[in-house]
Amino acid sequence: MTMLLEHGGCLQLAARQFGIPAADWLDLSTGINPNGWPVPPVPAECWLRLPEEQDELLPAARAYYGNSSLLAVAGSQAAIQTLPRLRPQSRVGVLHPAYAEHAGAWQRAGHQVTALQVHALESALPALDVLILINPNNPTGCRWPIAQLSDWHGRLQQRGGWLIVDEAFIDTTPELSLSPLPVKPGLIVLRSLGKFFGLAGIRCGFVIAETAILQRLAAELGPWAISHPARYAAARALKDTQWQRETAIRLKLQSRRLTDLLSENGWPPSGGCDLFQWIETEYAGQLHRILAEQAILTRLFSRPASVRLGLPKDEPAWRRLQHALAHPGVLALQAVKSG
């Protein structure tokens, strides 16, 4: 049996493990915007009729992403799991640490997967058929400029290779995005409404790539990949430019606030982006547990030992995190770390 990879957001599991009701938790484990786009009431026909491709979703997505060559998928996860089936056995480089589903999907499909540190990407490129990056990276927040990614894509494409860039966390830094660039053979960009828009539950994302890849991907995924209610909500979120502008500003301010709060309490982030901060420390497991005992859920990583914290939703949540970081157990751990 294939083992499922661990993810943030496992609130029910944490509730059982620590004996604290799920309703009492502050969940900072996902990196999802806690104040997502406000979904309006969904018309009854969305529940009663099959979704249709000729609705508002694709025009809205083409305008938002600045590209007409795209395919709607059930969250970028659907593409992550399916793309490995579109290539013969390949040599695949995946950044580590990074979102583990990429490596897992290519391994399960029988490809040769190599985990790469940031400093090894350039030297490893000649031996790869596929390079997969998350920009900004999850969980480290590492970023790559367009010029660097374009160079790597060009070198891979010369021998029929692919560059896959997962832009799940890029919405607040559109200057880094490859999405608006003209599509090229072997360049595949993944986008999601789950993080910036906070609409993880609707399972809607997009693949931007050349038509040949989109057609093969669509054939693998089959009809009605996105539910009718999800298409209705996603189209309206993508068209709400005022909310998008205001949210991008707010998230940047909140990210700075989280960085400052962690730093002031002796846990300066090692990296992050506008939706989360990441702390690499050998005491990650202890910090995760002490916060969990106070019903604050963070995302724990074992390699390297680290924790990721998303943004608190409101002022009571910010005060709660601040109080938790001043807990005697956290202070004692911080003293050991510093001493």
Side-chain angles (χ1 to χ4, degrees):
M1 182 176 68
T2 301
M3 295 297 291
L4 296 177
L5 297 173
E6 293 183 1
H7 299 281
C10 298
L11 191 57
Q12 300 297 331
L13 181 62
R16 290 195 295 271
Q17 181 180 352
F18 290 92
I20 303 171
D24 294 342
W25 285 78
L26 171 58
D27 185 2
L28 304 179
S29 68
T30 67
I32 295 170
N33 180 1
N35 296 292
W37 185 76
V39 180
V42 177
E45 67 177 20
C46 290
W47 304 105
L48 302 175
R49 292 180 56 83
L50 286 170
E52 298 186 40
E53 292 291 329
Q54 294 73 31
D55 61 8
E56 302 172 85
L57 179 60
L58 291 184
R62 289 166 180 152
Y64 181 79
Y65 296 116
N67 205 310
S68 61
S69 186
L70 50 76
L71 175 71
V73 294
S76 52
Q77 183 62 37
I80 291 169
Q81 293 177 203
T82 308
L83 285 169
R85 303 205 296 264
L86 305 187
R87 283 192 66 93
Q89 190 173 58
S90 301
R91 301 163 299 172
V92 182
V94 182
L95 185 69
H96 179 81
Y99 183 56
E101 287 288 349
H102 286 285
W106 287 84
Q107 287 172 336
R108 289 191 297 271
H111 299 274
Q112 178 187 330
V113 177
T114 302
L116 300 169
Q117 303 291 322
V118 171
H119 62 80
L121 291 174
E122 179 73 27
S123 60
L125 199 67
L128 298 178
D129 304 306
V130 178
L131 175 62
I132 304 170
L133 298 172
I134 300 98
N135 192 30
N137 187 44
N138 172 24
T140 66
C142 184
R143 295 162 171 80
W144 289 271
I146 289 176
Q148 177 68 83
L149 296 176
S150 297
D151 175 67
W152 286 343
H153 163 256
R155 291 155 63 186
L156 287 163
Q157 195 273 327
Q158 285 177 357
R159 53 181 186 273
W162 286 0
L163 174 66
I164 300 175
V165 183
D166 183 343
E167 295 187 342
F169 292 95
I170 210 166
D171 295 74
T172 61
T173 51
E175 67 276 8
L176 297 176
S177 177
L178 299 176
S179 297
L181 300 185
V183 294
K184 298 178 181 179
L187 178 60
I188 301 170
V189 181
L190 309 181
R191 298 297 297 257
S192 170
L193 270 72
K195 304 303 189 294
F196 172 74
F197 288 95
L199 297 178
I202 70 172
R203 309 309 305 133
C204 183
F206 296 89
V207 180
I208 300 169
E210 60 178 320
T211 302
I213 289 178
L214 297 184
Q215 289 176 338
R216 295 177 63 198
L217 188 57
E220 286 284 336
L221 294 173
W224 310 304
I226 313 295
S227 73
H228 199 160
R231 295 180 72 95
Y232 176 87
R236 281 148 185 79
L238 289 167
K239 291 191 290 185
D240 192 345
T241 55
Q242 180 176 345
W243 182 90
Q244 294 159 15
R245 288 193 298 269
E246 294 172 351
T247 298
I249 295 170
R250 182 169 58 251
L251 290 175
K252 289 179 181 295
L253 294 173
Q254 290 174 336
S255 178
R256 170 49 56 187
R257 182 177 179 181
L258 181 58
T259 298
D260 292 344
L261 178 61
L262 294 171
S263 300
E264 290 163 2
N265 284 274
W267 301 95
S270 309
C273 68
D274 291 333
L275 282 157
F276 61 79
Q277 294 301 319
W278 178 66
I279 305 169
E280 183 179 3
T281 172
E282 62 182 303
Y283 302 101
Q286 296 97 310
L287 178 61
H288 171 80
R289 172 167 287 276
I290 295 170
L291 292 175
E293 289 170 347
Q294 301 175 74
I296 295 180
L297 185 59
T298 59
R299 177 69 166 94
L300 177 64
F301 297 87
S302 58
R303 292 189 311 113
S306 52
V307 290
R308 188 190 66 199
L309 292 86
L311 300 172
K313 178 180 177 62
D314 50 27
E315 286 304 319
W318 280 102
R319 290 194 294 270
R320 189 169 166 186
L321 177 59
Q322 184 172 13
H323 178 77
L325 292 172
H327 183 275
V330 176
L331 294 177
L333 187 62
Q334 196 274 331
V336 172
K337 178 174 74 76
S338 302

